[in-house]
Amino acid sequence: MHRRTLLGTLAAGCGSALAGCSGSTVTGEVVANETPLSLTHEYAIQGTPSGTRLVVDVTAENDGTDRITPEGQVPELACTFLDDAGEQIYRTGLQPRDPIRVGATSAFEFALSTRVSETTRYELTATWSQE
């Protein structure tokens, strides 16, 4: 599991308007993966002009034996953001638009810009979806 916090880079944005962002810690993991995609991930808490947002960057590598195409059965990647009680704050998902060749990687991003200070965990899933 890879994690990072861009607090040093964003120190200017974490002033009194974003009080508490320097103490934000989030954990994350892949909780289900039915696909041949190998997932690595990291997160960042970013200060923006409109507030704070949590961004989860996911890299998916096709470790299978076949090319993954957007026709027919395609992977659906989802990220669920949770509070410290394990309650869902927000869930978002996406499907790759371009084919992923065997051995190739694709990058995906999930973002949360509300209730960021309540978020303590994220869970990633990769399941098959029929178009």
Side-chain angles (χ1 to χ4, degrees):
M1 174 172 51
H2 301 279
R3 294 182 291 184
R4 75 174 167 184
T5 304
L6 295 178
L7 298 174
T9 305
L10 301 171
C14 283
S16 59
L18 301 173
C21 82
S22 64
S24 298
T25 300
V26 178
T27 61
E29 68 178 314
V30 177
V31 296
N33 188 353
E34 303 171 353
T35 72
L37 296 173
S38 173
L39 305 176
T40 57
H41 54 95
E42 60 187 18
Y43 78 92
I45 298 175
Q46 301 173 338
T48 70
S50 61
T52 303
R53 71 184 208 140
L54 171 61
V55 177
V56 177
D57 291 309
V58 177
T59 301
E61 180 176 359
N62 184 354
D63 286 339
T65 57
D66 297 314
R67 184 174 106 153
I68 296 172
T69 64
E71 296 83 32
Q73 189 178 37
V74 296
E76 181 171 345
L77 302 169
C79 183
T80 305
F81 297 93
L82 306 164
D83 66 15
D84 61 354
E87 296 294 320
Q88 179 178 307
I89 293 174
Y90 181 65
R91 183 177 190 278
T92 185
L94 55 85
Q95 295 176 340
R97 295 182 202 197
D98 298 319
I100 306 172
R101 295 181 325 275
V102 173
T105 61
S106 291
F108 303 95
E109 179 181 279
F110 299 98
L112 176 69
S113 51
T114 61
R115 299 177 61 189
V116 172
S117 64
E118 297 174 41
T119 305
T120 59
R121 178 174 177 72
Y122 64 88
E123 296 179 342
L124 299 169
T125 58
T127 56
W128 288 113
S129 174
Q130 294 292 335
E131 284 292 309

